[in-house]
Amino acid sequence: MWNSKLQDSLHVKSIQHQTKKNPLSVVIPTLGGEILKETIAQLNRGTLLPEEILVCIPEQDAFRVKDLSYPNVRVIKTKCKGQVFQRIEGFKQAKCNYVVQLDDDIYVYEECLDLLVQSLEKFCGKAAISPSFIFLSIRRLFFYYWNNSDCSGW
């Protein structure tokens, strides 16, 4: 069960955080496809919009992302195919202090990026963090870790 007091607190912080500069790059290695458009649309519905979404795609597959029309999306054409190589190219070109790497078929809930940035700021940027994965059909966490006793209601 979600702790409603914590939820209210995080929602207020999320709204307050929206007014700050977006310190976040998202790197998405991909081969293109419809699912990528849905992932980008979901990222742009969040309470913290990424300053940039770097879509890293091999040169020979770049035609598959030619119609991405989001102002914060930048397509990076890579010389080699392979998720690791594509991700490295994205990290090299990321401009923001914080970088999130996502697969092209991952949907994050609206407050996810905001909460990730808040967590990094809590640890002065000296941490590696990730979102929790949830099975939506049964509303159970696949993996859970939180370093805050206020989250005991989860």
Side-chain angles (χ1 to χ4, degrees):
M1 295 292 302
W2 176 259
N3 181 320
S4 62
K5 183 177 178 185
L6 175 63
Q7 182 179 9
D8 292 342
S9 168
L10 291 176
H11 182 68
V12 169
K13 287 181 184 177
S14 178
I15 290 170
Q16 291 169 343
H17 199 269
Q18 234 176 344
T19 61
K20 293 182 184 177
K21 185 172 188 272
N22 303 346
L24 185 68
S25 299
V26 176
V27 172
I28 304 176
T30 188
L31 296 175
E34 288 301 312
I35 195 78
L36 173 64
K37 292 176 188 175
E38 295 172 30
T39 298
I40 292 170
Q42 180 64 18
L43 287 168
N44 281 312
R45 281 192 285 272
T47 57
L48 177 68
L49 299 180
E51 183 172 313
E52 60 178 359
I53 299 172
L54 306 175
V55 174
C56 305
I57 189 163
E59 289 174 334
Q60 67 268 26
D61 296 315
F63 68 94
R64 294 184 180 147
V65 296
K66 68 179 185 298
D67 60 342
L68 291 177
S69 60
Y70 296 91
N72 60 343
V73 171
R74 185 162 44 112
V75 175
I76 297 172
K77 297 175 187 174
T78 63
K79 295 180 193 245
C80 295
K81 184 182 277 190
Q83 188 181 58
V84 173
F85 182 81
Q86 290 168 239
R87 183 183 316 131
I88 290 169
E89 287 303 307
F91 272 75
K92 285 180 182 177
Q93 294 192 38
K95 296 178 181 176
C96 297
N97 291 336
Y98 301 125
V99 181
V100 172
Q101 187 271 318
L102 289 178
D103 289 346
D104 62 3
D105 61 350
I106 298 293
Y107 298 116
V108 295
Y109 64 94
E110 284 78 7
E111 293 180 336
C112 181
L113 297 179
D114 195 5
L115 295 173
L116 289 173
V117 169
Q118 286 180 43
S119 296
L120 281 169
E121 289 173 347
K122 176 181 175 182
F123 294 106
C124 302
K126 297 178 183 180
I129 60 171
S130 71
S132 296
F133 291 94
I134 300 172
F135 291 108
L136 294 176
S137 60
I138 59 173
R139 300 249 207 234
R140 297 281 184 245
L141 294 170
F142 177 72
F143 175 80
Y144 174 74
Y145 173 77
W146 187 273
N147 191 16
N148 184 334
S149 62
D150 289 338
C151 295
S152 59
W154 281 33

